[in-house]
Amino acid sequence: MLELIDTYWLYFLVGQYPEGPLGGLVLTILLSGAALVLAMPLGLMLGIARVSPRRAIRLPVGALVQLVRAVPLLLVLFWVYFFLPAVTGIKTSQTATMLIVLVVFDSVYLAEIVAAGIRALPKGQLESARSLGLGYGQALRHVVLPQTLRHGLPSIVNQLVSTIKATSLGYIIGLSEVSFVASQINTLVFTQAVEVYLILALTYFVLCFGLSRLAFLLERRLQRRPVAAA
């Protein structure tokens, strides 16, 4: 296994870069991080709409969120990569396709995190802010959302873990993320499939377990802070 790592570690890390497109573990991490960052504004808007007092806003957004959550990610990936180009005539690259799909799914799950965080706050928070003369939008921006995002931070980190694992579906459309690169290495060595996929599994484990522990530590710290403040 050590000889395998010594020979192919650079290919496993960045794919064919700089002679070709960026790939491997670096692409997986960058794609996951970019998807979460780009999905955050949309997730905030959808989350706020999910708890809107106006039924005309709350119900359609709730239906959209439930619809996206009920559809497999792989199916949406096929739609974006094969169906949309046939309809619009615009074909996106594998990286752009995967990024679009991840942003859509991340925004929906972030919306649920934001909505749950808002519902978990004491009801008097919003009313108290409004009684001080703040508008509904100002109360959300200055009072409700800072608390919601602070308490939802562990869930956001866990969503990043889910996004990292979801990037492996890019293998289906030929995206050179880390699992695709591992399969290419397996084709080259052929007789060391166990070692290749063990390295891949350990890579995912270290990355995802580390982030999961970070989410756990953040949650523990957030639980202790109110006690310490008291």
Side-chain angles (χ1 to χ4, degrees), residues 100-173:
I100 292 170
V101 172
L102 291 175
V103 167
V104 169
F105 267 77
D106 277 350
S107 61
V108 165
Y109 284 95
L110 288 173
E112 290 294 274
I113 293 172
V114 171
I118 293 175
R119 294 190 188 104
L121 292 177
K123 293 184 178 180
Q125 294 276 342
L126 185 59
E127 286 78 2
S128 298
R130 295 294 301 277
S131 68
L132 294 174
L134 297 178
Y136 182 75
Q138 291 176 316
L140 285 175
R141 185 167 64 253
H142 296 296
V143 178
V144 175
L145 286 181
Q147 299 180 74
T148 299
L149 293 177
R150 175 175 171 267
H151 291 290
L153 191 57
S155 298
I156 294 173
V157 175
N158 282 326
Q159 183 58 35
L160 177 59
V161 173
S162 299
T163 305
I164 289 172
K165 292 185 288 186
T167 58
S168 61
L169 292 176
Y171 178 94
I172 304 297
I173 59 174

Side-chain angles (χ1 to χ4, degrees), residues 22-196:
L22 182 66
L25 182 61
V26 172
L27 178 61
T28 294
I29 295 173
L30 290 179
L31 197 58
S32 304
L36 196 67
V37 170
L38 293 175
M40 184 63 72
L42 183 57
L44 283 174
M45 290 188 292
L46 291 175
I48 293 171
R50 287 278 282 143
V51 296
S52 172
R54 299 182 180 180
R55 290 170 59 88
I57 297 176
R58 184 176 69 251
L59 295 182
V61 171
L64 174 64
V65 168
Q66 295 304 323
L67 175 64
V68 175
R69 292 183 66 190
V71 177
L73 180 62
L74 182 60
L75 183 58
V76 178
L77 184 61
F78 283 149
W79 283 348
V80 174
Y81 192 66
F82 297 110
F83 178 69
L84 285 185
V87 174
T88 63
I90 301 174
K91 184 174 178 60
T92 57
S93 66
Q94 291 97 332
T95 302
T97 299
M98 197 69 214
L99 182 60
I100 292 170
V101 172
L102 291 175
V103 167
V104 169
F105 267 77
D106 277 350
S107 61
V108 165
Y109 284 95
L110 288 173
E112 290 294 274
I113 293 172
V114 171
I118 293 175
R119 294 190 188 104
L121 292 177
K123 293 184 178 180
Q125 294 276 342
L126 185 59
E127 286 78 2
S128 298
R130 295 294 301 277
S131 68
L132 294 174
L134 297 178
Y136 182 75
Q138 291 176 316
L140 285 175
R141 185 167 64 253
H142 296 296
V143 178
V144 175
L145 286 181
Q147 299 180 74
T148 299
L149 293 177
R150 175 175 171 267
H151 291 290
L153 191 57
S155 298
I156 294 173
V157 175
N158 282 326
Q159 183 58 35
L160 177 59
V161 173
S162 299
T163 305
I164 289 172
K165 292 185 288 186
T167 58
S168 61
L169 292 176
Y171 178 94
I172 304 297
I173 59 174
L175 178 67
S176 59
E177 42 75 45
V178 66
S179 60
F180 182 86
V181 169
S183 70
Q184 296 298 304
I185 295 174
N186 180 57
T187 303
L188 294 173
V189 297
F190 192 68
T191 58
Q192 295 178 276
V194 174
E195 290 88 342
V196 170

